[in-house]
Amino acid sequence: MSEGFTIAIDGPAAAGKGTVSKAVAAHFGFAHLDTGLLYRAVGAKVLAGIDATDAARGLVAEDLEDDSLRTPAVAQAASKAAVIADVRAALLDFQRSFAARSGGAVLDGRDIGTVICPEAPVKLFITASAEVRAKRRFAELAGRGIEDSFEAVLADVKARDARDMERVEAPLKPAADAVVIDTSDLTIEQAVAAAVEVVLKASQR
Ligand code: CDP
């Protein structure tokens, strides 16, 4: 089932999309693209004084390797840049080419099932309560030595959710045919198993 098979995974901030996407990609031997990193790379450039659209148009692979991309400040800048239609348009071809690669691909983000790959045979929407998501992000940041209060992390998650859902261009929402997985009460293993099961079912259709 790998030939051009695309798995689209969307969901709000810190819902566990990255973890589930990586595990699903490894399970099926597919390539994985964290599309949030593209927007984070643009956000980092905006913080460095570069125009958002110029940054998106000039993005190169090395821009995605910067450790600072995982900070809350860059996440906020990313979600502000992500409302700009020209920014999203500049990143479209790269994402679609990645999705069409022959070995199969998992893409995770906000608009993969709705805009980037509306024809994907598998669409997942991974979500969890804002409190659970903030707890996970808080622990992840602390593990990387980034000290932020829980309240600040929760506020970041909620602010980005609101901006991502309310924007005109490619707002965050489940595709009509997406399978929603709420990971609030699931372990990582359970969430991954649920996602793998959805993919297997879809591939048998
Ligand atoms: O890791 P987390 O879920 O917190 O965020 P991310 O996936 O790295 O995305 C950072 C920001 O980029 C999001 O808040 C969105 O505003 C934006 N984004 C987007 O608009 N479309 C995507 N396909 C991926 C990310």
Side-chain angles (χ1 to χ4, degrees), residues 2 5 31 38 65 92 118 123 147 170 192 200:
S2 64
F5 195 95
L38 304 173
E65 283 156 20
L92 189 76
K123 294 175 191 157
E147 301 295 337
V192 171
L200 288 174

Side-chain angles (χ1 to χ4, degrees), residues 1-7 28-31 96-107 119-122 199 202-203:
M1 69 167 183
S2 64
E3 204 57 34
F5 195 95
T6 305
I7 301 173
F28 293 102
F30 288 7
R96 288 211 175 129
S97 309
F98 191 96
R101 64 202 286 143
S102 58
V106 180
L107 283 81
E119 309 297 333
V122 182
V199 178
S203 69

Side-chain angles (χ1 to χ4, degrees), residues 3-204:
E3 204 57 34
F5 195 95
T6 305
I7 301 173
I9 303 187
D10 293 304
K17 299 181 301 292
T19 307
V20 170
S21 301
K22 274 191 211 113
V24 167
H27 184 96
F28 293 102
F30 288 7
H32 169 232
L33 177 65
D34 170 1
T35 66
L37 265 191
L38 304 173
Y39 291 90
R40 285 175 182 262
V42 172
K45 289 195 182 283
V46 170
L47 292 179
I50 299 168
D51 170 75
T53 305
D54 290 346
R57 288 181 181 151
L59 222 54
V60 292
E62 297 85 77
D63 293 332
L64 307 181
E65 283 156 20
D66 188 341
D67 275 352
S68 77
L69 297 185
R70 296 287 178 197
T71 61
V74 170
Q76 281 293 339
S79 87
K80 287 178 189 164
V83 307
I84 303 168
D86 286 346
V87 166
R88 305 199 72 83
L91 302 176
L92 189 76
D93 285 351
F94 175 74
Q95 295 176 83
R96 288 211 175 129
S97 309
F98 191 96
R101 64 202 286 143
S102 58
V106 180
L107 283 81
D108 78 88
R110 301 292 186 287
D111 61 339
I112 309 302
T114 51
V115 175
I116 305 294
C117 305
E119 309 297 333
V122 182
K123 294 175 191 157
L124 295 172
F125 193 84
I126 310 275
T127 188
S129 72
E131 282 69 22
V132 166
R133 291 186 284 118
K135 262 189 208 154
R136 290 177 186 159
R137 182 52 48 90
F138 177 73
E140 179 198 325
L141 290 170
R144 289 195 287 115
I146 299 174
E147 301 295 337
D148 223 348
S149 70
F150 174 76
E151 287 68 32
V153 176
L154 180 62
D156 169 72
V157 158
K158 286 184 171 171
R160 282 198 291 132
D161 284 356
R163 200 180 291 122
D164 292 348
M165 289 188 291
E166 287 161 17
R167 69 185 177 212
V168 176
E169 289 294 326
L172 168 67
K173 63 175 176 197
D177 53 349
V179 176
V180 178
I181 300 177
D182 187 326
T183 68
S184 301
D185 299 316
L186 300 184
T187 62
I188 291 175
E189 290 73 21
Q190 288 170 328
V192 171
V196 166
E197 199 183 309
V198 174
V199 178
L200 288 174
K201 264 195 199 144
S203 69
Q204 286 156 6

